[in-house]
Amino acid sequence: MERSRRSFLKIAGISVLGVGAKPLSQALAAAQGSKTGPDPRALPGKRWAMVVDLKKPCPDNCRDCFEACHKTHNVPSMPNPKDEVKWIWNESFPHAFPGQEHDFLDEALKKHPVIVLCNHCDNPPCVRVCPTKATFKREDGIVMMDYHRCIGCRFCMAGCPFGARSLNWRDPRPFIKELNKEFPTRTRGVVEKCNFCEERLAKGQKPACVEACKEKVLFFGDLEDAGSEIRRLLKVRTAIRRKPQLGTMPQVYYLV
Amino acid sequence: MLEKALVGSRKYYGWVSILLLFMGVGFICYLLQLSEGLGITGMSRDVSWGLYIAQFTFLVGVAASAVMLVLPYYLHHYKTFGKITILGEFLAVSAVTMCLTFIIVDLGQPARAFNVLLYPTPNSILFWDMVVLNGYLFLNILVGWTVLSAEKKGLAPPSWVKPFIYISIPWAISIHTVTAFIYAGLPGRGFWLTAIMAPRFLSSAFASGPALLILFCLIIRRLTKFDPGREAIQTLAKIVTYAMLVSIFFVLMELFTAFYSKIPEHMHHFQYLFVGLHGHTTLVPWWWAFMIMAVVAAYLLVNPRTRSDERLLAVACAMVFISLWIEKGLGLVVTGFIPNPMDKVFEYSPTWPEVFITLGVWAMGFLILTVLYKIAISIKEEKGV
């Protein structure tokens, strides 16, 4: 009796393992595919950066980049400006570069709208002040937001010297004009900002704003790749950055 | 000892009912905020901290001020403060509780508040602020309650409580220093980027907290049989005097640095406070009210004749408290965001629900204070001290 019970348990145990083995091996095989590993199409980059050409025409009605970005990322259009959420927008030169304007500045440059967005700083104060690591910097330099971790304390908004961050003061969902089901919407009470289209880079696509820009004002690439387009541009043209004296090392360059 | 809070005169019950009413209204408004989001407040993308964080910042000072009683009494054996040290400790308990509540009502996702504990982040000053505030709350409840229990039994406080008392002294300094660091270490906010922020916070704390305590002592003497003693009140008044003078001096230091250097990022904020910026002047009357009250209060406090007149002293203390509330609360927090990083002015004014939530939290703080003071004073009345 004793012996047969033991052998029954043995056989039963082995059978269970056997029955479970097939789906398990299938699951393991699936995991090795595209679902969890990086997409083979993903753009390789060690330090992502953006270059904005301030000499190229970018007339006031040209809003292709903002619209592409805000549509791609389900950024709501809030009716009350107080509740605004912005990932990429325009400032005039004196407001984008306070203290760097002067009376004799080239009229064209003075009038030129300056596209501003998160600078994905090398030394980001928002990451330093966040009490829950909801905002963090990736190895490729992209400063990310975890919408599920954020407690909405807005310390990062106080820390950011570029005003690049927004809080969802209200539920954003009713204010999304056209829903993109490929990208999550946010809940109220969390901070958000530009993410350099990391979800598009992972699929081998350039950021939506860069792709949408017909005037070729925006460039995106890897700073550590000496042969990249942005490195070539930074070599032949003069570039300025916003508030360099603060030491945050912004990675959006403006060609003047 | 808690049962002492349940028996009282009709006046006591009336006061408690008023506080409960305000708490109720505040709570209803908070439910509205929970369902709608922080959009019901006047805060915006540009001025992202408002009335709630301003109250928190100011009340940290009130909490820290307990050390102005604990230190002379326990370190220098200044016996005169023996009777009222408990009042300072219990004021700290209620003020810290308000601080923590103001942080919670300010969160966009309050249900996730525990993320601060689940993912401790030592590089964030907010993490350390949570540590020091909760620690200070614990210390003051522990020390206050233990010492009072011993007093009730007619015994000396147990010796194990001594280390906690001594720890509470530097700890009080730490709560206001760490709160100042929340502001002082941010790039691009010229108004807050000043090494004098923590000393400024401490000096205004040591004026506003003891000023409030003097007012409480005067009220308690009138309403109960417990007399805090004229000498204790006068010593507190001297503490308020010096702290207020240092506080005004520190503000003048800030003005010199900003206006003599003429660095726009530092100057614009003060211009906004004094005369307005780009035609925006919401805070200008408040700022002038602060300055006038601060100077008048300082005059009344410095002059020994007016300081020793308890009526004028009460007026001066009220002015110290209100003026520093304006300076620390409205002036310091909101102005840091004006102008914004793009050098544009977007102003802030609180909405009604925001004001009622704020009043509700104050009412809660006063209720805690009332109950704790009721217990402490009942015991003191029984013992006839």
Side-chain angles (χ1 to χ4, degrees):
Chain A
M1 195 62 201
E2 192 61 33
R3 171 172 280 251
S4 68
R5 187 192 286 166
R6 188 179 293 163
S7 55
F8 169 78
L9 285 173
K10 260 189 200 164
I11 293 163
I14 290 165
S15 334
V16 166
L17 274 181
V19 170
K22 202 185 172 198
L24 189 69
S25 66
Q26 277 170 341
L28 283 173
Q32 279 158 2
S34 61
K35 276 196 178 154
T36 51
D39 191 321
R41 294 168 298 168
L43 291 181
K46 290 208 179 83
R47 203 338 165 177
W48 295 114
M50 179 92 75
V51 171
V52 182
D53 193 341
L54 290 181
K55 288 273 177 171
K56 287 240 183 87
C58 185
D60 280 342
N61 56 356
C62 178
R63 303 179 47 86
D64 294 349
C65 54
F66 317 144
E67 274 161 23
C69 167
H70 286 188
K71 212 165 124 183
T72 308
H73 299 108
N74 293 320
V75 176
S77 336
M78 305 308 275
N80 189 343
K82 170 181 99 57
D83 300 329
E84 217 169 18
V85 177
K86 293 193 276 198
W87 281 35
I88 176 168
W89 72 100
N90 265 340
E91 292 288 346
S92 69
F93 189 90
H95 288 126
F97 300 95
Q100 291 198 54
E101 80 284 7
H102 56 79
D103 292 348
F104 311 103
L105 197 69
D106 176 19
E107 275 303 310
L109 193 60
K110 212 190 262 180
K111 280 188 191 149
H112 201 290
V114 179
I115 292 162
V116 293
L117 64 158
C118 169
N119 282 290
H120 296 277
C121 303
D122 259 352
N123 183 11
C126 54
V127 171
R128 188 158 64 239
V129 300
C130 176
T132 62
K133 303 184 187 85
T135 187
F136 58 95
K137 198 180 103 182
R138 297 205 313 195
E139 275 190 12
D140 60 5
I142 298 182
V143 175
M144 295 280 290
M145 265 307 300
D146 183 338
Y147 308 126
H148 301 279
R149 177 75 70 87
C150 175
I151 59 173
C153 70
R154 312 188 294 294
F155 204 175
C156 57
M157 292 173 79
C160 176
F162 304 103
R165 297 176 153 258
S166 311
L167 182 85
N168 287 282
W169 296 97
R170 292 174 186 278
D171 180 8
R173 284 161 192 157
F175 304 100
I176 298 169
K177 280 184 196 151
E178 215 180 310
L179 187 71
N180 171 21
K181 289 187 179 154
E182 302 278 298
F183 196 81
T185 56
R186 270 74 68 196
T187 52
R188 64 170 177 267
V190 299
V191 168
E192 63 177 79
K193 61 164 200 79
C194 155
N195 64 351
F196 260 2
C197 280
E198 59 88 21
E199 81 286 354
R200 287 172 59 90
L201 301 179
K203 288 189 291 187
Q205 295 168 316
K206 288 212 158 182
C209 56
V210 178
E211 201 178 86
C213 175
K214 292 187 211 81
E215 309 285 347
K216 283 262 172 209
V217 168
L218 301 174
F219 300 88
F220 186 81
D222 184 5
L223 277 181
E224 289 201 11
D225 173 7
S228 67
E229 191 180 24
I230 59 166
R231 278 287 293 273
R232 186 186 59 78
L233 283 166
L234 292 176
K235 199 172 174 184
V236 297
R237 300 270 304 272
T238 304
I240 57 171
R241 291 188 288 176
R242 296 175 68 198
K243 306 190 180 181
Q245 73 278 16
L246 300 181
T248 69
M249 293 193 271
Q251 297 305 322
V252 176
Y253 297 80
Y254 294 88
L255 303 174
V256 288
Chain B
M1 294 195 288
L2 270 172
E3 75 283 351
K4 302 242 180 265
L6 295 173
V7 281
S9 62
R10 285 185 68 168
K11 264 189 198 162
Y12 172 72
Y13 282 118
W15 169 241
V16 168
S17 315
I18 293 170
L19 292 177
L20 286 172
L21 181 75
F22 272 97
M23 282 170 73
V25 174
F27 187 69
I28 290 166
C29 290
Y30 184 63
L31 291 179
L32 179 72
Q33 183 181 299
L34 269 185
S35 72
E36 294 285 313
L38 287 167
I40 66 154
T41 69
M43 290 184 276
S44 65
R45 200 178 180 285
D46 295 284
V47 184
S48 49
W49 282 339
L51 202 53
Y52 301 149
I53 293 298
Q55 306 308 302
F56 149 72
T57 308
F58 174 71
L59 286 166
V60 172
V62 174
S65 71
V67 77
M68 286 289 106
L69 295 166
V70 174
L71 194 147
Y73 180 57
Y74 288 104
L75 277 192
H76 303 294
H77 306 289
Y78 182 67
K79 293 277 182 264
T80 317
F81 277 169
K83 285 163 93 178
I84 56 168
T85 302
I86 189 79
L87 300 183
E89 284 160 348
F90 282 168
L91 177 60
V93 170
S94 90
V96 175
T97 312
M98 283 192 261
C99 290
L100 293 167
T101 315
F102 273 118
I103 292 179
I104 296 296
V105 299
D106 186 65
L107 292 182
Q109 285 284 340
R112 296 182 189 164
F114 277 100
N115 276 3
V116 178
L117 291 173
L118 293 172
Y119 312 101
T121 310
N123 48 274
S124 175
I125 301 294
L126 217 55
F127 167 77
W128 293 107
D129 212 40
M130 178 214 61
V131 171
V132 291
L133 285 177
N134 282 295
Y136 195 60
L137 180 62
F138 166 77
L139 283 173
N140 277 287
I141 292 176
L142 182 77
V143 171
W145 201 258
T146 311
V147 173
L148 192 65
S149 309
E151 192 178 317
K152 191 187 175 211
K153 291 175 201 137
L155 299 168
S159 57
W160 61 261
V161 83
K162 275 276 157 111
F164 291 99
I165 292 171
Y166 293 136
I167 291 169
S168 82
I169 294 169
W171 206 287
I173 310 289
S174 83
I175 64 167
H176 226 18
T177 304
V178 174
T179 305
F181 285 175
I182 287 181
Y183 300 95
L186 304 178
R189 305 274 177 196
F191 192 60
W192 296 337
L193 196 64
T194 161
I196 210 176
M197 194 59 96
R200 238 181 101 186
F201 270 47
L202 286 165
S203 65
S204 67
F206 297 154
S208 60
L212 187 63
L213 263 179
I214 291 177
L215 293 173
F216 287 152
C217 286
L218 294 174
I219 294 169
I220 286 167
R221 191 166 59 189
R222 183 163 287 194
L223 294 181
T224 71
K225 278 179 263 166
F226 170 63
D227 182 7
R230 185 181 159 79
E231 198 196 327
I233 292 174
Q234 284 300 316
T235 310
L236 270 178
K238 279 174 201 136
I239 290 172
V240 176
T241 308
Y242 289 115
M244 190 64 188
L245 293 177
V246 172
S247 193
I248 293 172
F249 176 70
F250 282 170
V251 173
L252 294 174
M253 295 301 96
E254 297 272 32
L255 294 179
F256 172 81
T257 310
F259 287 107
Y260 195 79
S261 73
K262 293 218 181 296
I263 297 172
E265 292 98 285
H266 294 266
M267 216 166 46
H268 284 168
H269 301 279
F270 283 107
Q271 280 173 339
Y272 173 69
L273 285 173
F274 279 98
V275 291
L277 198 63
H278 310 319
H280 297 278
T281 56
T282 304
L283 281 185
V284 173
W286 289 96
W287 189 248
W288 284 98
F290 149 66
M291 288 197 302
I292 293 166
M293 276 194 272
V295 170
V296 173
Y299 173 78
L300 290 176
L301 286 167
V302 169
N303 189 340
R305 206 178 302 158
T306 43
R307 188 177 62 229
S308 54
D309 179 338
E310 282 187 350
R311 269 195 205 158
L312 286 173
L313 177 64
V315 172
C317 286
M319 281 203 257
V320 165
F321 189 76
I322 297 167
S323 66
L324 290 177
W325 178 82
I326 297 171
E327 191 258 336
K328 208 76 311 125
L330 300 176
L332 191 113
V333 176
V334 175
T335 312
F337 293 102
I338 302 173
N340 78 357
M342 268 71 72
D343 202 22
K344 287 179 175 172
V345 176
F346 292 96
E347 290 195 294
Y348 159 82
S349 37
T351 58
W352 282 113
E354 197 176 0
V355 170
F356 281 121
I357 292 171
T358 304
L359 288 175
V361 179
W362 273 93
M364 184 207 69
F366 270 108
L367 183 68
I368 294 172
L369 189 74
T370 305
V371 166
L372 291 176
Y373 274 17
K374 177 78 174 58
I375 295 168
I377 290 163
S378 304
I379 287 168
K380 285 180 187 292
E381 280 174 337
E382 261 174 37
K383 297 278 154 195
V385 259

